[in-house]
Amino acid sequence: MEILKTSNKEEDKFLHQKTKDVDLGSFDATELREIVRSMREKMIEADGIGLAANQVGLDMNMFVARDSGKFYTVINPKITKTIGEVVAMEEGCLSVPKRQGQTQRFEQVVLEGLSPNGKKLKIKAWGLLAHIFQHEVDHLNGIVYTDHAKNVVDFSNS
């Protein structure tokens, strides 16, 4: 499992496509657990805090994330509510290495989806976790943060 990069034309094209919803009935529990485990390992190995399935070449509407020592796996995520102000935050991406830019995101969101075992999830998130959820849902909708970021800085020569 390798992380796709926007610098590769074919990979960038895939990253800019909306992912397909996951039909949990089409996976056995072991297969889905293995996908989630592999994605978490890849995210940790790359020192990331979120990883959407399409970033590793899977056309699946799901992501893994971590914040404050807690891991999240959300299948078919949807942001159902935005709360508060839109705030600017520095953002990076494993698919856009060595670049950072400033994005505008809501300070709080409500995210709904499914756990890997099919349980309905509803998570109210704020701060960094809200930012992560919005970033990952964008990925799954074919949007890379550099599509709307301001002041993108390239650190590849640093």
Side-chain angles (χ1 to χ4, degrees):
M1 187 173 277
E2 293 301 317
I3 297 173
L4 303 184
K5 306 287 192 284
T6 58
S7 57
N8 176 299
K9 194 175 245 184
E10 285 302 308
E11 293 176 3
D12 184 61
K13 184 177 176 184
F14 186 78
L15 288 166
H16 279 92
Q17 294 174 1
K18 185 172 172 35
T19 57
K20 292 183 180 138
D21 277 349
V22 176
D23 173 9
L24 289 175
S26 66
F27 290 92
D28 71 33
T30 305
E31 183 182 14
L32 193 55
R33 264 195 313 273
E34 180 58 28
I35 291 169
V36 170
R37 185 190 62 73
S38 295
M39 286 179 63
R40 282 185 178 181
E41 284 179 1
K42 182 53 72 176
M43 176 183 66
I44 292 166
E45 174 188 306
D47 199 26
I49 55 176
L51 185 67
N54 58 339
Q55 288 183 271
V56 290
L58 301 172
D59 189 6
M60 298 173 68
N61 190 9
M62 66 179 275
F63 70 82
V64 297
R66 63 179 172 163
D67 180 47
S68 302
K70 182 170 168 116
F71 282 94
Y72 300 85
T73 300
V74 185
I75 297 170
N76 300 335
K78 297 214 178 345
I79 293 173
T80 57
K81 188 173 184 181
T82 56
I83 305 160
E85 301 292 318
V86 173
V87 295
M89 186 181 271
E90 284 297 309
E91 193 165 319
C93 180
L94 298 175
S95 291
V96 190
K98 299 184 179 180
R99 294 179 75 195
Q100 287 187 330
Q102 195 171 70
T103 57
Q104 302 280 324
R105 300 213 186 259
F106 288 96
E107 58 187 355
Q108 294 182 46
V109 297
V110 175
L111 181 82
E112 295 185 32
L114 299 171
S115 72
N117 63 9
K119 181 181 172 211
K120 287 186 179 183
L121 300 173
K122 186 174 185 176
I123 306 166
K124 184 175 181 181
W126 54 91
L128 180 60
L129 186 59
H131 207 85
I132 294 167
F133 284 173
Q134 291 170 86
H135 178 106
E136 300 310 327
V137 169
D138 271 0
H139 264 302
L140 298 169
N141 287 315
I143 301 166
V144 177
Y145 91 97
T146 52
D147 295 341
H148 56 83
K150 304 257 190 271
N151 304 320
V152 177
V153 177
D154 187 338
F155 294 101
S156 57
N157 294 328
S158 300

